[in-house]
Amino acid sequence: MDARSAEIAAGQADELVWLLEHAPLYTAGTSANRADVIDARFPVHESGRGGQMTYHGPGQRVAYGMLDLKRRGPDVRRFVVTLEEWIIRTLAAFNVRGERRDDRIGVWVRRPEKGEGREDKIAAIGIRVKQWVTLHGMALNVDPDLSHFSGIVPCGVHEQLYGVTSLADLGIPVSMPEVDAVLRREFETLFGETYTQTVGRTENDSPSARPARSASSPSR
C-alpha cells in the first residue's frame, strides 16, 4: 500500500481500491489505547491509520482506498464524509438506514429493540494521508463473528449504549459478491468510473479508480 501510494503521488500509477477480507486480527490506530485490548485472542497490529482499536476478520468487507486528494481536492474532512456517504448509500440498497454521528466516527444503525438510545456500529472508518494520497479506508460488517469484537473496546467507545452489528445480525442475508457489486456502483456515483484489475498476491478483482468526472465527485 505504501509503495503504491508513493507511485500515485508521483504520477506513476493509477488510483486504486482494494477489496479484501482479513484473517482475524486487531489493528491499532495512532490514537489507540492499549488498555482497550481486553483479550488479545488474535494478533494486534500497529496500522499507522488514524483512530483507535478495531477488529478485522472473515465476513467483513475491508476497502483500502489509495486516492489522490491533490487532484480531487485537498480536503481530508470532505473525503471522510464521502466515505461515510459511500457506506450509507450501500446500506440503503439493502434497506438498512446507516447514519453519521458528530461525536462518533463510522456509520451507525439505531437499535430501538435493544432499548432507548441504543445504536450499533456497522462500519468503521480509519484513514491516513501521505503526500495527499489516502491510505487505509473502511470496514463494513457483512457477516463476521461479532463475538470477536469483545476482545477489544471497538474504536474506544466505552458507553454501554453502543455496540456493533452486521447485515446478517440485522436479518439481511446477503453475499459478499452482492455487497461488492453495490459498493462498486455507489463508489462510481461518488468518486468516478472504475475498471477491474488483479493486483499482486491479493488475487482480488479490485476496482481501480479512473479520474473522477461526475458532478458529485470531489473537484479536481
Side-chain angles (χ1 to χ4, degrees):
M1 188 161 42
D2 284 332
R4 180 63 177 238
S5 70
E7 291 173 353
I8 294 169
Q12 298 171 351
D14 290 340
E15 298 173 303
L16 189 69
V17 178
W18 285 337
L19 300 180
L20 62 143
E21 291 178 82
H22 282 291
L25 58 89
Y26 299 124
T27 66
T30 54
S31 301
N33 182 348
R34 281 300 178 134
D36 286 344
V37 179
I38 301 167
D39 175 13
R41 67 187 81 170
F42 304 120
V44 179
H45 292 277
E46 300 288 341
S47 67
R49 58 162 173 80
Q52 302 192 48
M53 299 296 307
T54 196
Y55 165 77
H56 294 314
Q60 185 186 68
R61 175 52 79 219
V62 174
Y64 290 147
M66 288 153 276
L67 303 182
D68 186 357
L69 297 188
K70 283 188 298 186
R71 179 176 60 75
R72 292 174 175 271
D75 188 330
V76 175
R77 179 57 189 158
R78 181 170 64 177
F79 174 68
V80 171
V81 168
T82 308
L83 283 182
E84 292 172 338
E85 184 65 20
W86 180 28
I87 298 164
I88 288 168
R89 293 187 184 195
T90 298
L91 292 172
F94 300 105
N95 297 313
V96 173
R97 181 179 178 182
E99 300 181 61
R100 299 179 180 88
R101 293 291 177 262
D102 291 338
D103 60 338
R104 286 173 271 128
I105 194 69
V107 175
W108 297 79
V109 176
R110 297 176 192 244
R111 303 301 301 271
E113 73 278 12
K114 290 185 171 183
E116 184 177 357
R118 293 293 299 270
E119 297 184 351
D120 289 342
K121 178 181 274 192
I122 195 167
I125 293 173
I127 68 164
R128 179 184 176 194
V129 178
K130 189 174 181 179
Q131 295 182 288
W132 288 110
V133 175
T134 65
L135 299 96
H136 303 279
M138 69 88 174
L140 173 62
N141 296 333
V142 179
D143 188 15
D145 185 337
L146 295 179
S147 70
H148 291 177
F149 284 90
S150 65
I152 58 170
V153 178
C155 301
V157 178
H158 291 263
E159 292 88 340
Q160 294 300 310
L161 286 173
Y162 310 127
V164 292
T165 191
S166 67
L167 287 170
D169 182 52
L170 295 172
I172 311 295
V174 61
S175 69
M176 199 66 79
E178 289 175 299
V179 172
D180 288 346
V182 177
L183 281 169
R184 183 169 190 162
R185 183 187 74 203
E186 298 304 331
F187 180 93
E188 291 185 336
T189 299
L190 293 165
F191 291 101
E193 183 185 359
T194 66
Y195 64 95
T196 298
Q197 64 176 247
T198 299
V199 181
R201 293 177 296 171
T202 64
E203 298 181 359
N204 287 330
D205 284 339
S206 303
S208 183
R210 292 185 186 275
R213 298 187 184 278
S214 64
S216 62
S217 298
S219 62
R220 296 191 181 195

